[in-house]
């Protein structure tokens, strides 16, 4: 005797031909082991599935449906963000929808790159698409935007700032300072390094960069010197836009525009520019100024500096004068050797549980987008089909009234079902109480009902269907011969006592494990016999299974674990 009784494996063929034979063949193997007919085995199998499998099936189906819905929503958001990128870059709908066109290839590259960034960084694919759009707004083409995107994402992650701000910082700084893509990547790493080696943040440095703007192009040390000077000012509490403003004013004052200021520089014997007219390193200039004013009193220093710089910038000037040569060199060296600093900082920030969750969410979004990419073309076709259908219904009602409306509705529903089956070729339509669709939806004087809507699709083999009904209700179902002849009738009879006992024997281990009990052979036999004798309103094997379940529950609640043995007496009490 097999360990499990009543398992049926049913394969539905692409056409209705041979369905009955396949079911019977699958069942005969199980039935022959039990010594009974295929019909009885199927009855037991359905009873078992109803009791044991329904919860798992419903739960799994609900989870799949929820994930599918979430995938479509996530995919729609990503597609919307990418459509905005395409619009900003000037692509037309015609170009994008022309297979093999340069625009469609470029758009696909952008989309794939955004998804790649979404799966490997702290940001989602949709957020990466938004960042691409920010760069498109700055006038970057597709290739440049893709090269710049990692910089934006790394800067935003390292500094804990939003993508819009990070994008503005990078694009504006690159434009103002005239940087190449490689130099821009270096600048991002330097900003990350400066924020970790001085008393400032990436966001504050970004504000300072934007404030000082093109004035920083004159610095001999480029972005290294710029980040160093701003970091030193930040060490003295002068940060963000304030630091950028003061450093900008200091740089402008180094090229004196008044005789008073020029005389003050000349009197000290210091020049901010070399013989070629290029700005000297700030470290050297402020070291020379400090040495030149070494013997002055504080009042004399202030008077001299006031004649050289704006009063509002004196705090910043004094901060740079007070910075030691060692600190200048230390910070400048750290910033100058900052390759991959932004990436490393972003990685460290993700190296924890919260980061793992963030990366998981990004990967999950990628999976949802992948699912959505498969579903979206069909969903768009369905939506467009529905829109066209509504227009047809309106016209049909205007021309033919309610009858015209119903006739068109029937055609649309049939076409819609066929479309669904075509898009999902493995679908099998299951209709419980199938007799109810005879005449369902028909109006007075109209022959269009649910059965007539299904007939064309069933006849062509586009839809495969399984329906259930009772022997009594089958009489009304069989009245529509054009519909019923498209089905193969299979009778499912109630199993006898011997079959029921074998079904219960196969199910017993499942219930024993769930309830933590043991069933005796006499208890299983009694469940079949007594339920058949005394419970008249139900059928085998369901009522026998219910008795076993109830008896086991009572024992579980009343007895300690070592005494949980279900005997015949317990079955009698349950019945």
């Amino acid at each position: 005797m097999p360990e499990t009784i009543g398992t049926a494996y049913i394969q539905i063929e692409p056409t209705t031909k041979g369905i009955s034979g396949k079911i019977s063949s699958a069942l005969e193997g199980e039935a022959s082991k039990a010594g009974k007919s295929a019909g009885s085995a199927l009855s037991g199998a359905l009873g078992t599935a109803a009791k044991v499998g329904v919860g798992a099936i419903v739960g799994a189906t609900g989870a799949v449906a929820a994930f599918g819905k979430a995938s479509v929503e996530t995919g729609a958001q990503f597609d919307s963000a990418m459509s905005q990128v395409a619009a900003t870059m000037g692509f037309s709908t015609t170009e994008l929808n022309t297979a093999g066109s340069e625009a469609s290839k470029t758009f696909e590259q952008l989309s794939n790159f955004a998804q790649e960034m979404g799966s490997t960084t702290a940001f989602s694919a949709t957020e990466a698409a938004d960042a691409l759009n920010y760069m498109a707004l700055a006038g970057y083409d597709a290739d440049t935007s893709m090269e710049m995107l990692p910089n934006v994402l790394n800067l935003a992650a390292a500094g804990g700032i939003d993508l819009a701000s990070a994008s503005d910082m990078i694009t504006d700084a690159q434009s103002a300072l005239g940087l190449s893509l490689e130099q821009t990547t270096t600048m991002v790493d330097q900003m990350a390094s400066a924020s970790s080696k001085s008393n400032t943040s990436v966001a504050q440095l970004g504000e300072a960069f934007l404030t000082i703007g093109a004035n920083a192009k004159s610095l001999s040390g480029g972005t290294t010197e710029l980040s160093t000077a701003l970091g030193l000012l930040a060490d003295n509490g002068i940060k963000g836009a304030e630091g950028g403003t003061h450093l900008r004013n200091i740089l402008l004052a180094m090229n004196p525009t008044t005789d008073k200021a020029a005389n003050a520089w000349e009197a000290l014997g210091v020049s901010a520019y070399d013989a070629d007219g290029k700005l000297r390193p700030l470290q050297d200039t402020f070291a020379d100024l400090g040495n030149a004013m070494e013997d002055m009193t504080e009042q004399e220093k202030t008077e001299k500096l006031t004649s050289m710089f704006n009063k509002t910038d004196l705090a910043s000037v004094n901060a740079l004068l007070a910075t030691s040569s060692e600190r200048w060199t230390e910070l400048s060296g750290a910033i100058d050797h900052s390759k991959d600093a932004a990436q490393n900082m972003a990685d460290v920030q993700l190296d924890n549980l919260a980061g793992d969750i963030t990366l998981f969410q990004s990967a999950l979004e990628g999976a949802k987008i992948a699912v959505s990419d498969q579903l979206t073309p069909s969903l768009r076709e369905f939506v467009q089909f529905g829109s066209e259908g509504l227009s047809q219904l309106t016209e049909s009602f205007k021309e033919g009234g309610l009858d015209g409306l119903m006739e068109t509705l029937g055609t649309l529903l049939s076409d819609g079902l066929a479309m669904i089956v075509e898009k999902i070729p493995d679908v099998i339509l299951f209709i419980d109480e199938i007799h109810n669709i005879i005449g369902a939806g028909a109006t007075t004087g109209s022959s269009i009902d649910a059965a007539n809507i299904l007939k064309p699709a069933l006849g062509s083999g586009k839809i495969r269907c399984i329906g259930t009904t009772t022997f009594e209700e089958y009489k009304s179902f069989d009245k529509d011969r054009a519909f019923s002849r498209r089905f193969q009738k299979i009778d499912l009879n109630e199993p006898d006592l011997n079959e029921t006992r074998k079904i219960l024997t196969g199910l017993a281990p499942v219930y024993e494990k769930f309830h933590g009990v043991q069933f005796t052979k006499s208890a299983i036999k009694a469940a079949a016999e007594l339920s058949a004798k005394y419970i008249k309103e139900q059928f085998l094997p369901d009522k026998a299974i219910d008795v076993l379940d109830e008896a086991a529950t009572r024992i579980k609640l009343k007895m300690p674990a070592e005494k949980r043995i279900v005997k015949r007496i317990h079955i009698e009490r349950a019945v």
Side-chain angles (χ1 to χ4, degrees), residues 138-150:
Y140 291 173
D141 61 19
D143 290 336
T144 305
S145 295
M146 286 188 284
E147 288 188 62
M148 289 288 289
L149 182 57

Side-chain angles (χ1 to χ4, degrees), residues 417-534:
L417 282 172
M419 182 185 296
I420 293 173
V421 173
E422 182 181 351
K423 298 300 181 183
I424 315 174
D426 294 329
V427 70
I428 298 174
L429 178 63
F430 179 83
I431 304 176
D432 191 19
E433 298 185 359
I434 194 170
H435 55 272
N436 286 327
I437 73 171
I438 306 296
T443 60
T444 303
S446 173
S447 62
I448 300 299
D449 62 3
N452 281 316
I453 290 172
L454 284 173
K455 284 176 186 176
L458 288 171
S460 63
K462 291 182 178 179
I463 291 181
R464 292 167 292 166
C465 180
I466 296 176
T468 60
T469 186
T470 64
F471 288 108
E472 184 64 27
E473 297 293 351
Y474 181 75
K475 296 175 183 178
S476 62
F477 174 79
D478 199 39
K479 289 179 180 180
D480 189 340
R481 295 297 299 164
F483 186 65
S484 63
R485 65 182 172 81
R486 288 173 168 82
F487 291 85
Q488 173 67 49
K489 180 184 175 185
I490 300 175
D491 292 337
L492 305 179
N493 298 310
E494 183 179 15
D496 60 20
L497 287 176
N498 189 42
E499 289 175 323
T500 300
R501 282 196 297 270
K502 291 179 179 180
I503 292 172
L504 294 182
T505 300
L507 280 176
V510 178
Y511 283 89
E512 287 176 338
K513 182 178 181 180
F514 180 79
H515 290 293
V517 302
Q518 289 183 339
F519 294 108
T520 64
K521 290 183 178 179
S522 61
I524 292 175
K525 180 180 179 181
E529 294 174 348
L530 296 179
S531 63
K533 185 175 182 179
Y534 295 107

Side-chain angles (χ1 to χ4, degrees), residues 221-238:
T223 53
T224 299
E225 188 172 17
L226 174 60
S227 298
T228 301
L230 291 173
L232 295 175
L233 291 176
D235 285 343
N236 291 272
I238 306 168

